[in-house]
Amino acid sequence: EATDPLGAFVGVGGLLDIGTVPDVSGGISLEGGLGIPLVEARLRATFVFPRRAARVTTSGADITSTSIDARVCIHPFDEARFIHGCAGFLLAVTVAEGIGFDRAETGIGTYGGGLAGLGLAWRPEPWFDLELEANLIVHFNPLQFAVRASPDVVFYEMAAVAGRFALAAHVRF
């Protein structure tokens, strides 16, 4: 009786993020993983490009987020391994760089979250695939950013739930 071979992969991708930073933003990700054809463990680093949050028309902040997540993905159908579902946890750092203030202001916050997603992969060669993925992220501690001189004036509050849609290329070995 043969066992499923252990395999590994590395990948790079682009994404759209809704809910982590103000407005819809793009981003990039790098990931690696290993597993058998039915189950994979993945580690992904993601950078979400800055978006501007304005308190008033002349001041605000450019907000960006960098995260790392660990997830387990299951390919539940033997005849349709191109379909998978993933679940995991995320840790992130968000930076807000103030603009339009009398002095430079930078705010940094960390947050955690749980994630779940579905994906489809097209594998034209055994060593290469393209993957389309949709993820839902529940922020355990959504961040708020305010001006230090007037902390009651919150100019950005992270959504409790975010969505990410990604397209990635993986090389498998």
Side-chain angles (χ1 to χ4, degrees):
E1 185 175 304
T3 60
D4 287 330
L6 182 65
F9 72 90
V10 293
V12 62
L15 61 98
L16 285 178
D17 179 279
I18 303 167
T20 302
V21 298
D23 299 322
V24 176
S25 185
I28 57 172
S29 65
L30 298 172
E31 82 176 314
L34 63 103
I36 59 175
L38 181 63
V39 180
E40 290 179 329
R42 298 181 174 200
L43 192 61
R44 179 179 294 168
T46 301
F47 176 75
V48 178
F49 299 136
R51 298 296 291 177
R52 184 155 294 170
R55 185 172 67 98
V56 294
T57 57
T58 59
S59 64
D62 288 333
I63 299 176
T64 189
S65 186
T66 303
S67 64
I68 188 160
D69 69 67
R71 60 181 72 196
V72 173
C73 298
I74 306 287
H75 301 263
F77 309 110
D78 197 34
E79 283 75 34
R81 293 268 167 93
F82 60 90
I83 299 171
H84 67 270
C86 298
F89 294 98
L90 168 139
L91 295 173
V93 173
T94 298
V95 177
E97 294 184 41
I99 52 166
F101 297 104
D102 293 337
R103 60 189 167 107
E105 292 282 337
T106 300
I108 298 173
T110 59
Y111 65 91
L115 63 91
L118 295 173
L120 297 172
W122 174 58
R123 189 180 287 189
E125 298 291 337
W127 57 270
F128 178 79
D129 72 53
L130 289 174
E131 178 181 83
L132 187 61
E133 197 172 64
N135 292 290
L136 191 66
I137 300 167
V138 176
H139 298 128
F140 295 152
N141 56 321
L143 302 177
Q144 291 183 342
F145 289 94
V147 178
R148 188 179 317 221
S150 56
D152 295 333
V153 181
V154 174
F155 63 88
Y156 176 66
E157 185 169 358
M158 181 184 288
V161 177
R164 287 190 182 158
F165 304 92
L167 176 63
H170 299 128
V171 175
R172 296 185 174 271
F173 43 94

